[in-house]
Amino acid sequence: MTDELFLSFEEHPERGQQRRRHGVDNNRGRNNKKKKKKKKRGRSFLALFLTLFLLGGLAGGAYLGYDKIRDLLVTPDYVSTATSAEVEVEIKQGSLGLDMAKALKNKDVVKSEQAFIEAYENNPDAKKIQPGLYKLRVQISAADAITMLLDTKNRLVNGILIAEGLSTFKIYKLLSEKLGIPEAEFKAAAKDPIALGVPAWWFKREDGKKESRSIEGFLFPDTYEFPKNVTAKSALSMMVERFMKVTGDMGYADKAAALNISPYQALIVASLAQAEAGNADDLGKVARVSYNRVFSEKAVAEIGTCHCLQFDVTVNYSREMAGKKAVHSSDLTQAELTDPKNPYNRNAKGLPPTPINNPGKKALEGAADPPKGDWIYFVAIDKEGHSAFSSTHTQFCKDNQTAVKNGALERSSC
């Protein structure tokens, strides 16, 4: 029986026929097995192909991911070349490292803001970079950008000294000559001080007088390096910006409030002190005399007039406003000095409508924090411009004699 199990169909054909009749075909089984093997082999190849494809995709994604991570880990920066094109970049007043980085990135000088910031922090001289217009190469390393900004040869500057105590009219004339911009353009730009950067609250007064929105007093005296593409408006705005920075740093508004006046009134007094003081040491004292003459009842009793300044410099300013030249006090007529129609006349009550010039920092400090004293008179007593201050007319006349003796005055005003 066992041997029969191993006999082929050829040996037992009847059994083969019986099996085929019952649906069993060994040859068909063998064929099915071959087909299954082929199918398995095909599926294996497809699975292998898909696996390799997916792994390849993952590898590519991983590579791209690595690329992005690498960019995050390594700060993007250019490698400088000697042949790169040039571009002009403006570094504005008060710019910090980040401000410079943005300006340079916008002009494609540096590849990233972060690269410049890192170079800025690593270079101790970077804080010495000055505002102005620079000619720089594009697509250079951040370190080289710092080096170029520190090299004054790359600055396109137009340095102009604005002296302390100049009126706006004199400043317009000076800027027009130096910058080649018509005076009319400066006058037109100055008509709107708020558009130039002066906050509206700066013009408020505590003495009941009407606000007069003049740019006078807000053009801070300093040496300015204007970019070559400067306009009348941008030049005046730069000066206003400097004024706001200086007065902000000294807490000007708070100090004026401590004197029970507005910052604008203190600015007017600073301009008076700048015009009248012959020496920087006397700026604060002249400011105190101005306050005493306008606000002190004792001063009114001593002088015997109204709360008025009786300064000739205010009248000269009104001449400039009318397009006339300022003259020596001795050349001003009595009618001109006391013209009741002129709010700048020497007998006008209180402070004048506006500052009469653009005072410097020391004059501003003197007006914001004047020394204590009951002085209402002063006169220059030496050729260096030092003044003697007094609270009585008698002492004032004695000081006049000293001034004549020292050659500071030709004759006494008493």
Side-chain angles (χ1 to χ4, degrees), residues 137-151:
R137 299 202 311 275
V138 298
Q139 297 187 356
I140 59 175
S141 70
D144 284 347
I146 296 285
T147 301
M148 291 193 75
L149 288 169
L150 289 170
D151 189 346

Side-chain angles (χ1 to χ4, degrees), residues 168-240:
T168 53
F169 310 108
K170 290 185 176 70
I171 291 176
Y172 300 156
K173 184 175 178 11
L174 176 62
L175 292 178
S176 178
E177 292 172 352
K178 297 290 186 180
L179 300 176
I181 300 173
E183 285 185 58
E185 293 189 23
F186 290 102
K187 292 178 181 178
K191 287 182 179 179
D192 188 356
I194 294 177
L196 296 177
V198 182
W201 60 263
W202 252 100
F203 296 101
K204 293 183 179 179
R205 302 178 65 131
E206 299 293 339
D207 56 2
K209 287 196 173 185
K210 183 180 178 181
E211 289 184 15
S212 182
R213 294 189 174 183
S214 168
I215 196 62
E216 195 73 68
F218 295 99
L219 303 181
F220 189 75
D222 205 341
T223 298
Y224 290 89
E225 295 180 342
F226 298 108
K228 70 175 185 179
N229 58 347
V230 71
T231 63
K233 182 177 180 180
S234 62
L236 297 183
S237 295
M238 284 177 65
M239 300 176 76
V240 170

Side-chain angles (χ1 to χ4, degrees), residues 378-382 388 393-414:
F378 64 94
V379 60
I381 57 172
D382 60 33
H393 191 262
T394 300
Q395 183 60 48
F396 173 66
C397 289
K398 290 180 179 178
D399 294 336
N400 266 258
Q401 293 173 1
T402 302
V404 173
K405 182 181 178 180
N406 293 338
L409 285 178
E410 290 184 6
R411 59 181 182 275
S412 173
S413 60
C414 293

Side-chain angles (χ1 to χ4, degrees), residues 40 43 74 114 118 128 151 199 241 263 306 327 355 404-405:
K40 286 182 180 179
R43 283 197 294 268
V74 180
Q114 185 60 33
E118 290 177 6
K128 297 178 183 179
D151 189 346
E241 184 180 1
C306 62
V327 297
V404 173
K405 182 181 178 180

Side-chain angles (χ1 to χ4, degrees), residues 82-329:
T83 58
S84 61
E86 291 183 326
V87 68
E88 292 180 3
V89 180
E90 182 182 4
I91 301 299
K92 295 182 178 180
Q93 179 71 31
S95 291
L96 301 176
L98 179 58
D99 301 313
M100 297 181 195
K102 289 180 178 179
L104 295 171
K105 176 66 171 60
N106 287 339
K107 291 296 183 76
D108 198 26
V109 174
V110 296
K111 191 170 186 179
S112 67
E113 293 175 10
Q114 185 60 33
F116 181 84
I117 292 171
E118 290 177 6
Y120 186 92
E121 291 175 348
N122 291 332
N123 191 329
D125 292 329
K127 293 182 180 179
K128 297 178 183 179
I129 295 173
Q130 298 297 311
L133 190 67
Y134 291 81
K135 181 175 283 188
L136 306 172
R137 299 202 311 275
V138 298
Q139 297 187 356
I140 59 175
S141 70
D144 284 347
I146 296 285
T147 301
M148 291 193 75
L149 288 169
L150 289 170
D151 189 346
T152 56
K153 293 179 181 179
N154 296 315
R155 298 179 71 192
L156 304 174
V157 298
N158 204 337
I160 300 175
L161 172 63
I162 305 298
E164 297 172 344
L166 292 182
S167 67
T168 53
F169 310 108
K170 290 185 176 70
I171 291 176
Y172 300 156
K173 184 175 178 11
L174 176 62
L175 292 178
S176 178
E177 292 172 352
K178 297 290 186 180
L179 300 176
I181 300 173
E183 285 185 58
E185 293 189 23
F186 290 102
K187 292 178 181 178
K191 287 182 179 179
D192 188 356
I194 294 177
L196 296 177
V198 182
W201 60 263
W202 252 100
F203 296 101
K204 293 183 179 179
R205 302 178 65 131
E206 299 293 339
D207 56 2
K209 287 196 173 185
K210 183 180 178 181
E211 289 184 15
S212 182
R213 294 189 174 183
S214 168
I215 196 62
E216 195 73 68
F218 295 99
L219 303 181
F220 189 75
D222 205 341
T223 298
Y224 290 89
E225 295 180 342
F226 298 108
K228 70 175 185 179
N229 58 347
V230 71
T231 63
K233 182 177 180 180
S234 62
L236 297 183
S237 295
M238 284 177 65
M239 300 176 76
V240 170
E241 184 180 1
R242 191 76 58 90
F243 172 88
M244 296 304 300
K245 176 70 167 59
V246 171
T247 53
D249 289 346
M250 70 170 68
Y252 202 77
D254 291 336
K255 290 181 178 179
L259 297 172
N260 296 316
I261 60 174
S262 70
Y264 193 66
Q265 289 170 273
L267 178 59
I268 293 173
V269 171
S271 73
L272 295 171
Q274 190 73 72
E276 288 282 3
N279 190 284
D281 296 338
D282 295 332
L283 288 166
K285 289 184 176 182
V286 174
R288 174 55 70 186
V289 170
S290 301
Y291 289 131
N292 287 344
R293 285 191 168 229
V294 171
F295 299 117
S296 171
E297 294 298 332
K298 181 180 178 180
V300 173
E302 173 64 30
I303 298 173
T305 60
C306 62
H307 292 270
C308 51
L309 291 167
Q310 295 190 327
F311 290 170
D312 296 346
V313 290
T314 59
V315 180
N316 254 324
Y317 180 70
S318 67
R319 285 179 62 88
E320 286 193 82
M321 293 179 70
K324 301 177 182 179
K325 290 184 178 180
V327 297
H328 192 274
S329 295

Side-chain angles (χ1 to χ4, degrees), residues 315-353:
V315 180
N316 254 324
Y317 180 70
S318 67
R319 285 179 62 88
E320 286 193 82
M321 293 179 70
K324 301 177 182 179
K325 290 184 178 180
V327 297
H328 192 274
S329 295
S330 60
D331 295 324
L332 292 169
T333 65
Q334 190 64 24
E336 191 174 18
L337 287 168
T338 58
D339 181 4
K341 295 180 181 180
N342 181 8
Y344 293 88
N345 85 78
R346 70 193 311 270
N347 290 332
K349 184 177 180 180
L351 295 172

